[in-house]
Amino acid sequence: MTALKRISIKINSVEFLMYLLALSVSTLLLGFATSGILLGLFVFFSIRHAILNKTSFKIELPFLLPILLYVLFVLSLMWSVDKAQTLKGLERTVSLLLVPTAFMLIPKLTKKDFMIVMKVFTVFNFFLGVFFLIIATYGFFKTKTLDAYTYHNLVAIFDLNAIYVSLIFSISMFYLISLKQRSIKQKSMIVFFLLFLFLLSSKTILFVLCIGILIYILNSKIPKLNRKTVILVSIIGITIIGISSITLSERFSFEKHTKFSEVLEKEEFGKVYYWTGSSIRLFQLRILKEQIEEENIILKGFGLFASKQNLEQRHKNYDTYFKFHYYNYHNQYAQTLSETGVLGLVILLSILICVWIRGIKSKNFLIIMFSLMMSFVFFTESVLWRQRGLFLFIIFYCLLIKTSSQNKKINS
């Protein structure tokens, strides 16, 4: 067999498709171009694979729902109040159409196929985390402050948001936890990701993490721990809590300044009003309520990506801090309702319900934690309106749906 023939066979394999998918989702934190090109190649070679192997196209509801959501995005162009932004949005969210279509074209996935993606993704995240810590250590010796190791500062080298890094790293950690048999290296990586998540200090992810650990403990037959194991676990736990306690206490104490009633009633805030993460998100919901009452958007919405002008104007009317004028809703449910109406929200909820049902039926820890994590993060971030968040969600949504439908114990 010639080298060219071997390459042709390799390219036409499902394994090759999984490596393309793995590299696409693994490079999300390095920039959109690389990840986008790799995802485009995955879609292209999936179509090629289906044509060459005459794979039957099987329509499945979980994959059809994201496509229907994108169809609604396209239809919103007809009534959009800002067609230029809607066209831009259609370009940025096209993966909702392409990725599910590609997954319906490729044949059944095995446990091996699933593991290719998860192993590459997790190892890549581990080394990326090590790189972040090295850069943070350099920053520490330069500034003599522990701030270099915390929150956005820890991942500032790539101008990243701590919540998205937390989201990505937590998937790797939950994957490792879900394995029934773990090597010493894998156990060490769990500790590493756990430490990193505490340093990033995303309150939402840490809350989900606590729920996840509780779910794992309640559903696992944990053997009786010996004295050495208890001592080791205690030392690790104390170290993690000690290192992260400073930034965590600062972040939670900062939220105590939120004045909920004032945020909902105040007519003018001024440039120096004391905002917290909770208060600005609550204020965005206040604006959404006003938009529903005054703009009649409940049925159709403003149009995809077309809520920006109205949001900006309302912020100016309330005299908020100028940077808030360009914020989105920081809430995926609110964002979807505002721009695509109640139908868009129903489709989004249906997507989440599908993955929840699949996780509960298969009793798969990773799928359950992915469902839980995305459901909560959607309350604090407009994840699908950011390319990094959209790629992460649609790739893992389709991968977990596809593999769990064939293998109930993909993580065994």
Side-chain angles (χ1 to χ4, degrees):
M1 185 182 295
T2 63
L4 190 62
K5 183 66 174 178
R6 286 197 296 269
I7 292 174
S8 177
I9 293 173
K10 191 71 174 178
I11 289 177
N12 193 41
S13 67
V14 174
E15 181 180 353
F16 176 70
L17 297 178
M18 292 301 101
Y19 275 112
L20 284 175
L21 193 66
L23 290 173
S24 175
V25 75
S26 297
T27 54
L28 279 174
L29 296 177
L30 300 183
F32 304 129
T34 303
S35 182
I37 290 171
L38 287 165
L39 190 59
L41 289 173
F42 165 76
V43 173
F44 171 80
F45 281 102
S46 295
I47 297 172
R48 178 180 180 273
H49 183 278
I51 294 173
L52 293 178
N53 295 278
K54 298 180 180 179
T55 306
S56 58
F57 184 78
K58 184 180 179 181
I59 297 177
E60 300 176 66
L61 179 62
F63 297 124
L64 188 60
L65 287 172
I67 295 174
L68 287 176
L69 185 60
Y70 187 77
V71 170
L72 180 61
F73 290 171
V74 174
L75 292 176
S76 75
L77 184 63
M78 293 190 296
W79 60 78
S80 174
V81 299
D82 190 340
K83 286 182 169 49
Q85 283 296 322
T86 299
L87 286 171
K88 180 180 178 182
L90 290 175
E91 179 183 341
R92 290 179 60 176
T93 59
V94 71
S95 55
L96 285 172
L97 170 67
L98 298 179
V99 177
T101 301
F103 269 90
M104 285 192 286
L105 286 170
I106 61 179
K108 295 179 180 180
L109 298 181
T110 65
K111 175 186 173 183
K112 179 183 177 182
D113 298 324
F114 171 78
M115 296 299 281
I116 286 173
V117 178
M118 296 312 301
K119 285 180 179 178
V120 172
F121 177 69
T122 299
V123 170
F124 199 94
N125 285 339
F126 172 76
F127 283 108
L128 194 57
V130 171
F131 172 74
F132 287 140
L133 287 178
I134 292 173
I135 298 299
T137 301
Y138 171 77
F140 168 73
F141 283 113
K142 188 175 181 180
T143 63
K144 307 299 181 183
T145 173
L146 288 174
D147 287 347
Y149 290 103
T150 61
Y151 203 36
H152 298 312
N153 296 329
L154 182 57
V155 292
I157 185 68
F158 291 151
D159 194 26
L160 297 170
N161 186 305
I163 182 67
Y164 287 98
V165 181
S166 297
L167 191 57
I168 288 172
F169 280 19
S170 61
I171 292 176
S172 286
M173 191 189 71
F174 287 131
Y175 155 69
L176 292 170
I177 292 175
S178 72
L179 298 175
K180 288 188 176 180
Q181 294 182 335
R182 292 180 289 271
S183 65
I184 294 176
K185 289 182 180 179
Q186 289 170 328
K187 291 177 181 177
S188 300
M189 289 170 72
I190 291 175
V191 175
F192 174 82
F193 284 125
L194 185 61
L195 171 61
F196 211 93
L197 290 175
F198 270 93
L199 292 176
L200 288 171
S201 307
S202 167
K203 299 184 292 296
T204 304
I205 298 297
L206 291 178
F207 177 70
V208 173
L209 174 61
C210 292
I211 296 177
I213 292 173
L214 181 61
I215 292 173
Y216 180 78
I217 292 174
L218 292 176
N219 290 277
S220 300
K221 296 179 180 179
I222 301 176
K224 187 176 181 180
L225 299 177
N226 58 43
R227 186 177 179 183
K228 290 183 179 179
T229 303
V230 172
I231 293 173
L232 178 61
V233 172
S234 299
I235 291 174
I236 292 173
I238 292 171
T239 302
I240 291 174
I241 294 172
I243 292 174
S244 59
S245 60
I246 298 175
T247 180
L248 279 175
S249 61
E250 288 179 352
R251 295 211 64 217
F252 280 105
S253 62
F254 182 71
E255 292 295 333
K256 292 180 181 179
H257 296 282
T258 302
K259 299 177 181 179
F260 296 103
S261 59
E262 190 171 89
V263 171
L264 293 173
E265 298 172 1
K266 196 175 179 65
E267 292 300 322
E268 188 173 325
F269 291 88
K271 305 299 185 294
V272 294
Y273 184 79
Y274 198 88
W275 292 96
T276 65
S278 298
S279 62
I280 185 59
R281 286 172 171 82
L282 181 61
F283 182 68
Q284 297 292 68
L285 293 179
R286 174 185 174 181
I287 289 180
L288 176 62
K289 179 177 179 294
E290 294 176 359
Q291 289 171 327
I292 292 173
E293 294 172 347
E294 300 170 13
E295 308 291 343
N296 297 318
I297 61 170
I298 192 67
L299 292 179
K300 297 188 296 184
F302 289 110
L304 179 66
F305 278 42
S307 63
K308 293 183 177 182
Q309 290 184 1
N310 194 279
L311 267 174
E312 180 182 350
Q313 186 56 53
R314 289 177 183 274
H315 270 280
K316 289 179 178 178
N317 293 341
Y318 282 108
D319 193 26
T320 60
Y321 179 54
F322 76 97
K323 287 189 177 180
F324 293 160
H325 299 177
Y326 310 102
Y327 272 25
N328 60 31
Y329 291 92
H330 275 63
N331 182 315
Q332 187 62 60
Y333 305 109
Q335 193 87 41
T336 305
L337 177 62
S338 169
E339 297 183 357
T340 60
V342 68
L343 180 57
L345 180 59
V346 168
I347 297 175
L348 177 65
L349 292 175
S350 299
I351 291 171
L352 290 175
I353 290 171
C354 273
V355 72
W356 264 110
I357 291 174
R358 190 59 59 88
I360 293 171
K361 280 187 175 181
S362 64
K363 296 181 180 179
N364 185 288
F365 179 73
L366 178 58
I367 301 178
I368 291 173
M369 291 315 303
F370 176 79
S371 308
L372 184 67
M373 197 159 44
M374 299 312 302
S375 297
F376 273 101
V377 173
F378 278 7
F379 279 110
T380 62
E381 300 291 330
S382 297
V383 177
L384 305 185
W385 266 233
R386 291 286 181 264
Q387 191 169 350
R388 185 173 287 116
L390 175 62
F391 278 16
L392 181 74
F393 177 78
I394 197 60
I395 288 173
F396 275 109
Y397 171 81
C398 291
L399 179 67
L400 293 172
I401 289 290
K402 187 78 173 183
T403 51
S404 65
S405 65
Q406 311 299 335
N407 308 281
K408 287 189 176 181
K409 296 183 178 180
I410 58 177
N411 55 0
S412 60

